[in-house]
Amino acid sequence: MTDLPTKRHSRASLYAPFILALVALAAWTGWWFYLTRQIDAGLEAQAVALREQGWEVRYADKRIVGWPFRANVRLTDVTIAAPSGHAVAAPALNAEANAYQPTKWVIVAPEGLTLTRAGKGKVAVTGDAIRMSASGIDQRWPNLALELVNPVFAAQADGEPFPIARAARIEFYSRPHLEGSTAPSDDIDVMFRLVDGQGRRDGPVEGFAQDGQLTTQLEATIGRADLLKVGDAAGVFSQWTKGGGTFRKVRGDLQAGDSRATLSSEVLKADANGRLMGQVALQSQKPLPALSGLLESRQGSVNRGGAAGAAAVAGADAAAGREDMALTVIFRDGRTWLGPFPLAPAPKLF
């Protein structure tokens, strides 16, 4: 009996998944190289635009790695300096995004930063982590977050002392301000948080915190934030002030040693000299230790006569058994006033 020929099955079905995988990998690799070229071109275009506005932007080396799922931009010996003289420099900066979500980036300074304060010298910043994240960079106002974990600040010998020596955390956040609409306006919402900050030795922060720690959280809406994108030799806040920029709905909490306070202000702005103007309402608990510590600080520009007068008033209330006090801080004529007592120069924005 003759055997019938055996029908051979096609092996194409066995190879199909591997072929599809190779096609998908090739397509994804093409996308990755296209994306990284776009990132490279965008980075160079931004650097050129800043240089044309008077900024200094330079770095020694640039690499883009991370295939297949990430785009990692690695820069070395980075310096970014504004026309105002403020600058930031880092031995290395790493910026990373998922290749499938290139509108969200995380930037890390693994070897720390050096901040240059115009007219005040440089400050080295180190810590367990220095990172910033930005999401929605294709929108008008991206969401930004800056985090410093256990930062340490060291002013260089030829620079002015920095008010904070170290902290457990420093955080800053910004997002689009939405009010009655889902469309972003010209304003942004910001929040600043300092946790367990320690002032420099013999400085005003150390005295204010009574040799303890300073913790504060501040929130505000920055009006006309679109003007902050324009910088000149006076700094970004100069054009912002001329254009009517303000800090609105300022709210915050503060704890300095045994002293605590909540604060609020409906509007603050800067004068023509860059000094803050406006008033802040404080509901304070045990303000006497903080004011007494401020009086005893041996460095900084504290007006000791004014601090002594404010401490005397707080002491009289404490002696009468009133530890909770409603106070008003006024920024006027370039000075910071607590009631009728001048304490220090008003904060300077530019």
PDB file of all heavy atoms in Angstrom, residues 231-269:
ATOM      1  N   GLY A 231      13.471  89.835  30.177  1.00  0.00           N
ATOM      2  CA  GLY A 231      14.501  90.235  31.127  1.00  0.00           C
ATOM      3  C   GLY A 231      15.400  91.316  30.556  1.00  0.00           C
ATOM      4  O   GLY A 231      15.626  91.385  29.355  1.00  0.00           O
ATOM      5  N   ASP A 232      15.907  92.195  31.426  1.00  0.00           N
ATOM      6  CA  ASP A 232      16.884  93.198  31.006  1.00  0.00           C
ATOM      7  C   ASP A 232      17.940  93.290  32.089  1.00  0.00           C
ATOM      8  O   ASP A 232      18.014  92.461  32.989  1.00  0.00           O
ATOM      9  CB  ASP A 232      16.217  94.548  30.731  1.00  0.00           C
ATOM     10  CG  ASP A 232      15.441  95.084  31.940  1.00  0.00           C
ATOM     11  OD1 ASP A 232      15.686  94.601  33.059  1.00  0.00           O
ATOM     12  OD2 ASP A 232      14.609  95.987  31.751  1.00  0.00           O
ATOM     13  N   ALA A 233      18.783  94.324  32.014  1.00  0.00           N
ATOM     14  CA  ALA A 233      19.879  94.458  32.968  1.00  0.00           C
ATOM     15  C   ALA A 233      19.389  94.641  34.403  1.00  0.00           C
ATOM     16  O   ALA A 233      20.111  94.353  35.355  1.00  0.00           O
ATOM     17  CB  ALA A 233      20.773  95.630  32.573  1.00  0.00           C
ATOM     18  N   ALA A 234      18.159  95.105  34.568  1.00  0.00           N
ATOM     19  CA  ALA A 234      17.610  95.291  35.912  1.00  0.00           C
ATOM     20  C   ALA A 234      16.962  94.020  36.449  1.00  0.00           C
ATOM     21  O   ALA A 234      16.612  93.964  37.625  1.00  0.00           O
ATOM     22  CB  ALA A 234      16.597  96.431  35.909  1.00  0.00           C
ATOM     23  N   GLY A 235      16.766  93.011  35.608  1.00  0.00           N
ATOM     24  CA  GLY A 235      16.141  91.774  36.057  1.00  0.00           C
ATOM     25  C   GLY A 235      14.717  91.645  35.546  1.00  0.00           C
ATOM     26  O   GLY A 235      14.114  92.605  35.060  1.00  0.00           O
ATOM     27  N   VAL A 236      14.178  90.425  35.653  1.00  0.00           N
ATOM     28  CA  VAL A 236      12.851  90.170  35.094  1.00  0.00           C
ATOM     29  C   VAL A 236      11.760  90.940  35.822  1.00  0.00           C
ATOM     30  O   VAL A 236      10.719  91.259  35.230  1.00  0.00           O
ATOM     31  CB  VAL A 236      12.538  88.659  35.129  1.00  0.00           C
ATOM     32  CG1 VAL A 236      13.465  87.895  34.213  1.00  0.00           C
ATOM     33  CG2 VAL A 236      12.617  88.104  36.550  1.00  0.00           C
ATOM     34  N   PHE A 237      11.954  91.264  37.098  1.00  0.00           N
ATOM     35  CA  PHE A 237      10.906  91.970  37.835  1.00  0.00           C
ATOM     36  C   PHE A 237      10.824  93.449  37.481  1.00  0.00           C
ATOM     37  O   PHE A 237       9.854  94.110  37.837  1.00  0.00           O
ATOM     38  CB  PHE A 237      11.116  91.811  39.351  1.00  0.00           C
ATOM     39  CG  PHE A 237      10.699  90.472  39.874  1.00  0.00           C
ATOM     40  CD1 PHE A 237      11.641  89.526  40.223  1.00  0.00           C
ATOM     41  CD2 PHE A 237       9.355  90.147  40.005  1.00  0.00           C
ATOM     42  CE1 PHE A 237      11.264  88.280  40.708  1.00  0.00           C
ATOM     43  CE2 PHE A 237       8.963  88.909  40.487  1.00  0.00           C
ATOM     44  CZ  PHE A 237       9.925  87.969  40.837  1.00  0.00           C
ATOM     45  N   SER A 238      11.827  93.990  36.796  1.00  0.00           N
ATOM     46  CA  SER A 238      11.790  95.397  36.412  1.00  0.00           C
ATOM     47  C   SER A 238      10.666  95.655  35.412  1.00  0.00           C
ATOM     48  O   SER A 238       9.800  96.523  35.633  1.00  0.00           O
ATOM     49  CB  SER A 238      13.139  95.806  35.821  1.00  0.00           C
ATOM     50  OG  SER A 238      13.088  97.118  35.306  1.00  0.00           O
ATOM     51  N   GLN A 239      10.652  94.928  34.289  1.00  0.00           N
ATOM     52  CA  GLN A 239       9.590  95.100  33.302  1.00  0.00           C
ATOM     53  C   GLN A 239       8.238  94.680  33.866  1.00  0.00           C
ATOM     54  O   GLN A 239       7.209  95.269  33.528  1.00  0.00           O
ATOM     55  CB  GLN A 239       9.913  94.281  32.050  1.00  0.00           C
ATOM     56  CG  GLN A 239      11.158  94.748  31.310  1.00  0.00           C
ATOM     57  CD  GLN A 239      11.009  96.165  30.793  1.00  0.00           C
ATOM     58  OE1 GLN A 239       9.947  96.570  30.349  1.00  0.00           O
ATOM     59  NE2 GLN A 239      12.085  96.936  30.879  1.00  0.00           N
ATOM     60  N   TRP A 240       8.235  93.683  34.698  1.00  0.00           N
ATOM     61  CA  TRP A 240       7.005  93.232  35.343  1.00  0.00           C
ATOM     62  C   TRP A 240       6.398  94.350  36.194  1.00  0.00           C
ATOM     63  O   TRP A 240       5.189  94.595  36.159  1.00  0.00           O
ATOM     64  CB  TRP A 240       7.321  91.999  36.187  1.00  0.00           C
ATOM     65  CG  TRP A 240       6.202  91.473  37.026  1.00  0.00           C
ATOM     66  CD1 TRP A 240       5.145  90.717  36.612  1.00  0.00           C
ATOM     67  CD2 TRP A 240       6.049  91.628  38.442  1.00  0.00           C
ATOM     68  NE1 TRP A 240       4.339  90.388  37.676  1.00  0.00           N
ATOM     69  CE2 TRP A 240       4.872  90.937  38.813  1.00  0.00           C
ATOM     70  CE3 TRP A 240       6.782  92.282  39.431  1.00  0.00           C
ATOM     71  CZ2 TRP A 240       4.428  90.886  40.126  1.00  0.00           C
ATOM     72  CZ3 TRP A 240       6.340  92.222  40.747  1.00  0.00           C
ATOM     73  CH2 TRP A 240       5.167  91.535  41.074  1.00  0.00           C
ATOM     74  N   THR A 241       7.235  95.046  36.945  1.00  0.00           N
ATOM     75  CA  THR A 241       6.748  96.148  37.786  1.00  0.00           C
ATOM     76  C   THR A 241       6.234  97.303  36.929  1.00  0.00           C
ATOM     77  O   THR A 241       5.159  97.858  37.195  1.00  0.00           O
ATOM     78  CB  THR A 241       7.876  96.638  38.714  1.00  0.00           C
ATOM     79  OG1 THR A 241       8.266  95.571  39.584  1.00  0.00           O
ATOM     80  CG2 THR A 241       7.413  97.827  39.545  1.00  0.00           C
ATOM     81  N   LYS A 242       6.978  97.654  35.895  1.00  0.00           N
ATOM     82  CA  LYS A 242       6.554  98.755  35.025  1.00  0.00           C
ATOM     83  C   LYS A 242       5.234  98.445  34.333  1.00  0.00           C
ATOM     84  O   LYS A 242       4.447  99.351  34.033  1.00  0.00           O
ATOM     85  CB  LYS A 242       7.634  99.039  33.991  1.00  0.00           C
ATOM     86  CG  LYS A 242       8.924  99.592  34.578  1.00  0.00           C
ATOM     87  CD  LYS A 242       9.975  99.773  33.496  1.00  0.00           C
ATOM     88  CE  LYS A 242      11.286 100.286  34.081  1.00  0.00           C
ATOM     89  NZ  LYS A 242      12.345 100.410  33.041  1.00  0.00           N
ATOM     90  N   GLY A 243       4.982  97.158  34.070  1.00  0.00           N
ATOM     91  CA  GLY A 243       3.751  96.758  33.403  1.00  0.00           C
ATOM     92  C   GLY A 243       2.575  96.537  34.335  1.00  0.00           C
ATOM     93  O   GLY A 243       1.511  96.120  33.889  1.00  0.00           O
ATOM     94  N   GLY A 244       2.755  96.813  35.637  1.00  0.00           N
ATOM     95  CA  GLY A 244       1.653  96.687  36.587  1.00  0.00           C
ATOM     96  C   GLY A 244       1.552  95.337  37.257  1.00  0.00           C
ATOM     97  O   GLY A 244       0.486  94.973  37.768  1.00  0.00           O
ATOM     98  N   GLY A 245       2.656  94.587  37.297  1.00  0.00           N
ATOM     99  CA  GLY A 245       2.634  93.283  37.949  1.00  0.00           C
ATOM    100  C   GLY A 245       2.452  93.385  39.459  1.00  0.00           C
ATOM    101  O   GLY A 245       2.967  94.311  40.100  1.00  0.00           O
ATOM    102  N   THR A 246       1.726  92.432  40.040  1.00  0.00           N
ATOM    103  CA  THR A 246       1.469  92.423  41.476  1.00  0.00           C
ATOM    104  C   THR A 246       1.472  90.998  42.014  1.00  0.00           C
ATOM    105  O   THR A 246       1.310  90.029  41.272  1.00  0.00           O
ATOM    106  CB  THR A 246       0.099  93.056  41.819  1.00  0.00           C
ATOM    107  OG1 THR A 246      -0.933  92.316  41.138  1.00  0.00           O
ATOM    108  CG2 THR A 246       0.036  94.514  41.411  1.00  0.00           C
ATOM    109  N   PHE A 247       1.669  90.885  43.326  1.00  0.00           N
ATOM    110  CA  PHE A 247       1.412  89.650  44.060  1.00  0.00           C
ATOM    111  C   PHE A 247       0.037  89.800  44.721  1.00  0.00           C
ATOM    112  O   PHE A 247      -0.165  90.707  45.535  1.00  0.00           O
ATOM    113  CB  PHE A 247       2.469  89.409  45.141  1.00  0.00           C
ATOM    114  CG  PHE A 247       3.863  89.236  44.602  1.00  0.00           C
ATOM    115  CD1 PHE A 247       4.789  90.265  44.702  1.00  0.00           C
ATOM    116  CD2 PHE A 247       4.257  88.046  44.010  1.00  0.00           C
ATOM    117  CE1 PHE A 247       6.073  90.118  44.217  1.00  0.00           C
ATOM    118  CE2 PHE A 247       5.540  87.880  43.522  1.00  0.00           C
ATOM    119  CZ  PHE A 247       6.449  88.921  43.628  1.00  0.00           C
ATOM    120  N   ARG A 248      -0.888  88.906  44.388  1.00  0.00           N
ATOM    121  CA  ARG A 248      -2.237  89.007  44.932  1.00  0.00           C
ATOM    122  C   ARG A 248      -2.545  87.798  45.815  1.00  0.00           C
ATOM    123  O   ARG A 248      -1.983  86.719  45.647  1.00  0.00           O
ATOM    124  CB  ARG A 248      -3.281  89.077  43.816  1.00  0.00           C
ATOM    125  CG  ARG A 248      -3.075  90.194  42.812  1.00  0.00           C
ATOM    126  CD  ARG A 248      -4.349  90.400  41.965  1.00  0.00           C
ATOM    127  NE  ARG A 248      -4.923  89.158  41.492  1.00  0.00           N
ATOM    128  CZ  ARG A 248      -4.596  88.557  40.343  1.00  0.00           C
ATOM    129  NH1 ARG A 248      -3.671  89.102  39.567  1.00  0.00           N
ATOM    130  NH2 ARG A 248      -5.184  87.441  39.972  1.00  0.00           N
ATOM    131  N   LYS A 249      -3.460  88.032  46.754  1.00  0.00           N
ATOM    132  CA  LYS A 249      -3.950  86.960  47.628  1.00  0.00           C
ATOM    133  C   LYS A 249      -2.793  86.182  48.249  1.00  0.00           C
ATOM    134  O   LYS A 249      -2.709  84.954  48.155  1.00  0.00           O
ATOM    135  CB  LYS A 249      -4.876  86.026  46.853  1.00  0.00           C
ATOM    136  CG  LYS A 249      -6.125  86.712  46.322  1.00  0.00           C
ATOM    137  CD  LYS A 249      -7.023  85.748  45.565  1.00  0.00           C
ATOM    138  CE  LYS A 249      -8.259  86.457  45.039  1.00  0.00           C
ATOM    139  NZ  LYS A 249      -9.140  85.540  44.254  1.00  0.00           N
ATOM    140  N   VAL A 250      -1.905  86.922  48.879  1.00  0.00           N
ATOM    141  CA  VAL A 250      -0.761  86.306  49.538  1.00  0.00           C
ATOM    142  C   VAL A 250      -1.221  85.686  50.855  1.00  0.00           C
ATOM    143  O   VAL A 250      -1.851  86.358  51.683  1.00  0.00           O
ATOM    144  CB  VAL A 250       0.346  87.344  49.793  1.00  0.00           C
ATOM    145  CG1 VAL A 250       1.551  86.691  50.466  1.00  0.00           C
ATOM    146  CG2 VAL A 250       0.762  88.020  48.484  1.00  0.00           C
ATOM    147  N   ARG A 251      -0.916  84.425  51.044  1.00  0.00           N
ATOM    148  CA  ARG A 251      -1.287  83.709  52.270  1.00  0.00           C
ATOM    149  C   ARG A 251      -0.089  82.893  52.722  1.00  0.00           C
ATOM    150  O   ARG A 251       0.707  82.417  51.902  1.00  0.00           O
ATOM    151  CB  ARG A 251      -2.482  82.778  52.044  1.00  0.00           C
ATOM    152  CG  ARG A 251      -3.728  83.473  51.506  1.00  0.00           C
ATOM    153  CD  ARG A 251      -4.372  84.354  52.552  1.00  0.00           C
ATOM    154  NE  ARG A 251      -5.617  84.939  52.066  1.00  0.00           N
ATOM    155  CZ  ARG A 251      -5.722  86.122  51.470  1.00  0.00           C
ATOM    156  NH1 ARG A 251      -4.628  86.841  51.265  1.00  0.00           N
ATOM    157  NH2 ARG A 251      -6.893  86.587  51.076  1.00  0.00           N
ATOM    158  N   GLY A 252       0.039  82.708  54.046  1.00  0.00           N
ATOM    159  CA  GLY A 252       1.179  81.926  54.502  1.00  0.00           C
ATOM    160  C   GLY A 252       1.146  81.610  55.979  1.00  0.00           C
ATOM    161  O   GLY A 252       0.327  82.126  56.749  1.00  0.00           O
ATOM    162  N   ASP A 253       2.048  80.728  56.358  1.00  0.00           N
ATOM    163  CA  ASP A 253       2.267  80.346  57.753  1.00  0.00           C
ATOM    164  C   ASP A 253       3.754  80.407  58.030  1.00  0.00           C
ATOM    165  O   ASP A 253       4.577  80.155  57.146  1.00  0.00           O
ATOM    166  CB  ASP A 253       1.762  78.913  58.020  1.00  0.00           C
ATOM    167  CG  ASP A 253       0.282  78.762  57.758  1.00  0.00           C
ATOM    168  OD1 ASP A 253      -0.506  79.241  58.578  1.00  0.00           O
ATOM    169  OD2 ASP A 253      -0.070  78.162  56.722  1.00  0.00           O
ATOM    170  N   LEU A 254       4.084  80.731  59.270  1.00  0.00           N
ATOM    171  CA  LEU A 254       5.475  80.868  59.643  1.00  0.00           C
ATOM    172  C   LEU A 254       5.669  80.357  61.060  1.00  0.00           C
ATOM    173  O   LEU A 254       4.866  80.660  61.958  1.00  0.00           O
ATOM    174  CB  LEU A 254       5.907  82.327  59.528  1.00  0.00           C
ATOM    175  CG  LEU A 254       7.357  82.698  59.824  1.00  0.00           C
ATOM    176  CD1 LEU A 254       7.781  83.891  58.958  1.00  0.00           C
ATOM    177  CD2 LEU A 254       7.546  83.057  61.302  1.00  0.00           C
ATOM    178  N   GLN A 255       6.732  79.592  61.259  1.00  0.00           N
ATOM    179  CA  GLN A 255       7.112  79.145  62.593  1.00  0.00           C
ATOM    180  C   GLN A 255       8.602  79.354  62.768  1.00  0.00           C
ATOM    181  O   GLN A 255       9.415  78.825  62.000  1.00  0.00           O
ATOM    182  CB  GLN A 255       6.769  77.677  62.828  1.00  0.00           C
ATOM    183  CG  GLN A 255       7.149  77.195  64.236  1.00  0.00           C
ATOM    184  CD  GLN A 255       6.663  75.789  64.525  1.00  0.00           C
ATOM    185  OE1 GLN A 255       5.898  75.227  63.754  1.00  0.00           O
ATOM    186  NE2 GLN A 255       7.095  75.235  65.651  1.00  0.00           N
ATOM    187  N   ALA A 256       8.971  80.150  63.770  1.00  0.00           N
ATOM    188  CA  ALA A 256      10.372  80.458  64.053  1.00  0.00           C
ATOM    189  C   ALA A 256      10.621  80.157  65.530  1.00  0.00           C
ATOM    190  O   ALA A 256      10.239  80.942  66.398  1.00  0.00           O
ATOM    191  CB  ALA A 256      10.682  81.917  63.747  1.00  0.00           C
ATOM    192  N   GLY A 257      11.230  79.017  65.790  1.00  0.00           N
ATOM    193  CA  GLY A 257      11.420  78.626  67.182  1.00  0.00           C
ATOM    194  C   GLY A 257      10.081  78.456  67.871  1.00  0.00           C
ATOM    195  O   GLY A 257       9.219  77.707  67.406  1.00  0.00           O
ATOM    196  N   ASP A 258       9.868  79.184  68.968  1.00  0.00           N
ATOM    197  CA  ASP A 258       8.604  79.113  69.705  1.00  0.00           C
ATOM    198  C   ASP A 258       7.550  80.073  69.167  1.00  0.00           C
ATOM    199  O   ASP A 258       6.408  80.064  69.638  1.00  0.00           O
ATOM    200  CB  ASP A 258       8.847  79.426  71.192  1.00  0.00           C
ATOM    201  CG  ASP A 258       9.721  78.380  71.867  1.00  0.00           C
ATOM    202  OD1 ASP A 258       9.654  77.206  71.442  1.00  0.00           O
ATOM    203  OD2 ASP A 258      10.475  78.740  72.794  1.00  0.00           O
ATOM    204  N   SER A 259       7.911  80.910  68.225  1.00  0.00           N
ATOM    205  CA  SER A 259       6.990  81.911  67.690  1.00  0.00           C
ATOM    206  C   SER A 259       6.308  81.390  66.428  1.00  0.00           C
ATOM    207  O   SER A 259       6.944  80.734  65.597  1.00  0.00           O
ATOM    208  CB  SER A 259       7.740  83.213  67.366  1.00  0.00           C
ATOM    209  OG  SER A 259       8.427  83.699  68.503  1.00  0.00           O
ATOM    210  N   ARG A 260       5.013  81.710  66.309  1.00  0.00           N
ATOM    211  CA  ARG A 260       4.251  81.282  65.136  1.00  0.00           C
ATOM    212  C   ARG A 260       3.395  82.431  64.634  1.00  0.00           C
ATOM    213  O   ARG A 260       3.040  83.328  65.399  1.00  0.00           O
ATOM    214  CB  ARG A 260       3.357  80.086  65.470  1.00  0.00           C
ATOM    215  CG  ARG A 260       4.116  78.849  65.916  1.00  0.00           C
ATOM    216  CD  ARG A 260       3.174  77.684  66.163  1.00  0.00           C
ATOM    217  NE  ARG A 260       3.891  76.491  66.578  1.00  0.00           N
ATOM    218  CZ  ARG A 260       3.324  75.320  66.819  1.00  0.00           C
ATOM    219  NH1 ARG A 260       2.003  75.187  66.674  1.00  0.00           N
ATOM    220  NH2 ARG A 260       4.052  74.283  67.181  1.00  0.00           N
ATOM    221  N   ALA A 261       3.049  82.360  63.354  1.00  0.00           N
ATOM    222  CA  ALA A 261       2.183  83.401  62.797  1.00  0.00           C
ATOM    223  C   ALA A 261       1.552  82.902  61.508  1.00  0.00           C
ATOM    224  O   ALA A 261       2.132  82.088  60.786  1.00  0.00           O
ATOM    225  CB  ALA A 261       2.974  84.687  62.532  1.00  0.00           C
ATOM    226  N   THR A 262       0.343  83.374  61.248  1.00  0.00           N
ATOM    227  CA  THR A 262      -0.276  83.244  59.930  1.00  0.00           C
ATOM    228  C   THR A 262      -0.304  84.638  59.314  1.00  0.00           C
ATOM    229  O   THR A 262      -0.456  85.634  60.027  1.00  0.00           O
ATOM    230  CB  THR A 262      -1.698  82.675  60.023  1.00  0.00           C
ATOM    231  OG1 THR A 262      -2.508  83.553  60.840  1.00  0.00           O
ATOM    232  CG2 THR A 262      -1.697  81.288  60.652  1.00  0.00           C
ATOM    233  N   LEU A 263      -0.152  84.720  58.012  1.00  0.00           N
ATOM    234  CA  LEU A 263      -0.069  86.022  57.374  1.00  0.00           C
ATOM    235  C   LEU A 263      -0.961  86.065  56.143  1.00  0.00           C
ATOM    236  O   LEU A 263      -1.242  85.045  55.519  1.00  0.00           O
ATOM    237  CB  LEU A 263       1.381  86.353  57.001  1.00  0.00           C
ATOM    238  CG  LEU A 263       2.120  85.402  56.048  1.00  0.00           C
ATOM    239  CD1 LEU A 263       1.938  85.811  54.598  1.00  0.00           C
ATOM    240  CD2 LEU A 263       3.599  85.374  56.389  1.00  0.00           C
ATOM    241  N   SER A 264      -1.377  87.260  55.792  1.00  0.00           N
ATOM    242  CA  SER A 264      -2.215  87.457  54.612  1.00  0.00           C
ATOM    243  C   SER A 264      -2.036  88.875  54.102  1.00  0.00           C
ATOM    244  O   SER A 264      -1.776  89.810  54.872  1.00  0.00           O
ATOM    245  CB  SER A 264      -3.688  87.191  54.930  1.00  0.00           C
ATOM    246  OG  SER A 264      -4.170  88.114  55.879  1.00  0.00           O
ATOM    247  N   SER A 265      -2.155  89.011  52.779  1.00  0.00           N
ATOM    248  CA  SER A 265      -2.107  90.321  52.137  1.00  0.00           C
ATOM    249  C   SER A 265      -2.881  90.226  50.845  1.00  0.00           C
ATOM    250  O   SER A 265      -2.758  89.243  50.104  1.00  0.00           O
ATOM    251  CB  SER A 265      -0.661  90.746  51.864  1.00  0.00           C
ATOM    252  OG  SER A 265      -0.620  91.976  51.152  1.00  0.00           O
ATOM    253  N   GLU A 266      -3.688  91.238  50.574  1.00  0.00           N
ATOM    254  CA  GLU A 266      -4.471  91.226  49.339  1.00  0.00           C
ATOM    255  C   GLU A 266      -3.639  91.599  48.124  1.00  0.00           C
ATOM    256  O   GLU A 266      -3.863  91.077  47.038  1.00  0.00           O
ATOM    257  CB  GLU A 266      -5.674  92.163  49.474  1.00  0.00           C
ATOM    258  CG  GLU A 266      -6.714  91.662  50.455  1.00  0.00           C
ATOM    259  CD  GLU A 266      -7.135  90.226  50.163  1.00  0.00           C
ATOM    260  OE1 GLU A 266      -7.503  89.931  49.007  1.00  0.00           O
ATOM    261  OE2 GLU A 266      -7.084  89.389  51.081  1.00  0.00           O
ATOM    262  N   VAL A 267      -2.657  92.479  48.298  1.00  0.00           N
ATOM    263  CA  VAL A 267      -1.828  92.857  47.150  1.00  0.00           C
ATOM    264  C   VAL A 267      -0.492  93.411  47.643  1.00  0.00           C
ATOM    265  O   VAL A 267      -0.426  94.165  48.621  1.00  0.00           O
ATOM    266  CB  VAL A 267      -2.548  93.895  46.255  1.00  0.00           C
ATOM    267  CG1 VAL A 267      -2.840  95.171  47.021  1.00  0.00           C
ATOM    268  CG2 VAL A 267      -1.728  94.185  45.004  1.00  0.00           C
ATOM    269  N   LEU A 268       0.586  92.990  46.971  1.00  0.00           N
ATOM    270  CA  LEU A 268       1.920  93.533  47.180  1.00  0.00           C
ATOM    271  C   LEU A 268       2.514  93.828  45.805  1.00  0.00           C
ATOM    272  O   LEU A 268       2.230  93.133  44.832  1.00  0.00           O
ATOM    273  CB  LEU A 268       2.820  92.534  47.928  1.00  0.00           C
ATOM    274  CG  LEU A 268       2.435  92.163  49.365  1.00  0.00           C
ATOM    275  CD1 LEU A 268       3.320  91.018  49.851  1.00  0.00           C
ATOM    276  CD2 LEU A 268       2.573  93.370  50.284  1.00  0.00           C
ATOM    277  N   LYS A 269       3.364  94.845  45.739  1.00  0.00           N
ATOM    278  CA  LYS A 269       4.034  95.175  44.484  1.00  0.00           C
ATOM    279  C   LYS A 269       5.378  95.805  44.799  1.00  0.00           C
ATOM    280  O   LYS A 269       5.752  95.957  45.969  1.00  0.00           O
ATOM    281  CB  LYS A 269       3.173  96.113  43.639  1.00  0.00           C
ATOM    282  CG  LYS A 269       2.792  97.421  44.326  1.00  0.00           C
ATOM    283  CD  LYS A 269       1.877  98.236  43.430  1.00  0.00           C
ATOM    284  CE  LYS A 269       1.474  99.531  44.110  1.00  0.00           C
ATOM    285  NZ  LYS A 269       0.573 100.355  43.236  1.00  0.00           N
TER     286      LYS A 269
END
